[in-house]
Amino acid sequence: MASTTFDIGGDLTVRRIGFGAMRLAPEPASARRAAIAVARRAVELGVTLIDTAHMYGWGANEELLAEALYPYPDDLHIATKVGISLVDGEWRVDGRPSVLRDGVDQALRRLRVDRIGLLQLHRIDPDTPLADQLGALGELRAEGKIGHIGLSEVTVAELERARSIVEIASVQNRYNLLDREHDPVLAACDAAGIAFLPWRPVAAGSAGSRAEAAAVADELGATPTQVALAWLLARSPVVLPIPSTTGVGHLEENLAAADLELTSDQLDRLDPLPGRD
Ligand SMILES: NC(=O)c1ccc[n+]([C@@H]2O[C@H](COP(=O)([O-])OP(=O)(O)OC[C@H]3O[C@@H](n4cnc5c(N)ncnc54)[C@H](OP(=O)(O)O)[C@@H]3O)[C@@H](O)[C@H]2O)c1
């Protein structure tokens, strides 16, 4: 059976199915209480990697996680992202070094930590030299404010360029059973031992693939969502899915996918990318 853990950057050990916190709502109060319950249940069930970002509520999501989970268990890692700003009510990619530095300082304060184990650049800013963006993150790492540097929504060429500037520990791209656009990036991560965090991991889409996932799910006494997550785990040992949910029921279902073993015949049936309907 494949390993249930992965060492991000060689030393940040996490359980392979994490939790994406993006959909946890900070308000109204009833939604906040429910969100806190989901975050706490995720940790109770053994989640050690939670993904958030400054952009998710412009800090509100990070604050919600701190309210729910601080003081943190030693093995819990909350990965966050910087590099997107809110300007006149619109978000825009902003990788200026001063913005990244300020973003990290604010995230440290909101998360109530001295160090962020995995800090991801939410998007590469095309208007700022890449060396400046990654240079700033490299300095933050040297200062001990962050442990490892990750990227999000990058191509293989961007990943390779970034790696020539600074060590990259993770990539977070959209990827799931039905969306394989970033297969080449996953292959590059696999070859280099870089963690690949597929976002939007709970596949939804073409009827053809839903049917195959449903058939496999029936055979295993599982749900199609669990099959989609188990397929991701089987794709490569570097894959760390971060499914998001607002409900404890779906959370429990998603985390139980770690125990699902797909046979080689089932993988063969799921691997071909079906045509869109
Ligand atoms: N780097 C980036 O640019 C980027 C972009 C988007 C997201 N992300 C990260 O990726 C994480 C996951 O992405 P995502 O939320 O877009 O996609 P997702 O996890 O694939 O999908 C979440 C959606 O699926 C539903 N769902 C979850 N579990 C389910 C289950 N067992 N059965 C049926 N429905 C289920 C949820 O609804 P319920 O609430 O009803 O369960 C929610 O609507 C986010 O939290 C965020 O951390 C990163």
Side-chain angles (χ1 to χ4, degrees), residues 19-23 51-52 56 81 122-123 152-153 172-173 198-203 223 225-226 242-247 249-251 253-254:
F19 176 67
M22 182 181 77
R23 292 173 192 268
D51 182 73
T52 181
Y56 306 159
K81 311 182 201 80
H122 210 148
R123 292 286 185 276
S152 173
E153 285 299 289
Q172 184 173 142
N173 280 11
W199 64 265
R200 195 68 41 84
V202 174
T223 68
T225 299
Q226 289 176 319
I242 44 169
S244 184
T245 178
T246 51
H250 282 168
L251 173 76
E253 178 185 329
N254 296 345

Side-chain angles (χ1 to χ4, degrees), residues 254-275:
N254 296 345
L255 296 178
D259 299 325
L260 210 61
E261 268 202 80
L262 302 175
T263 64
S264 52
D265 165 67
Q266 289 165 337
L267 286 170
D268 286 347
R269 283 155 53 202
L270 293 166
D271 278 348
L273 186 59

Side-chain angles (χ1 to χ4, degrees), residues 20 51 59 61 80 111 118 157-158 178 183 191 200 246 265 273 275:
D51 182 73
N61 198 263
T80 192
L111 289 168
L118 175 64
E158 287 169 334
L178 303 172
D183 257 331
R200 195 68 41 84
T246 51
D265 165 67
L273 186 59

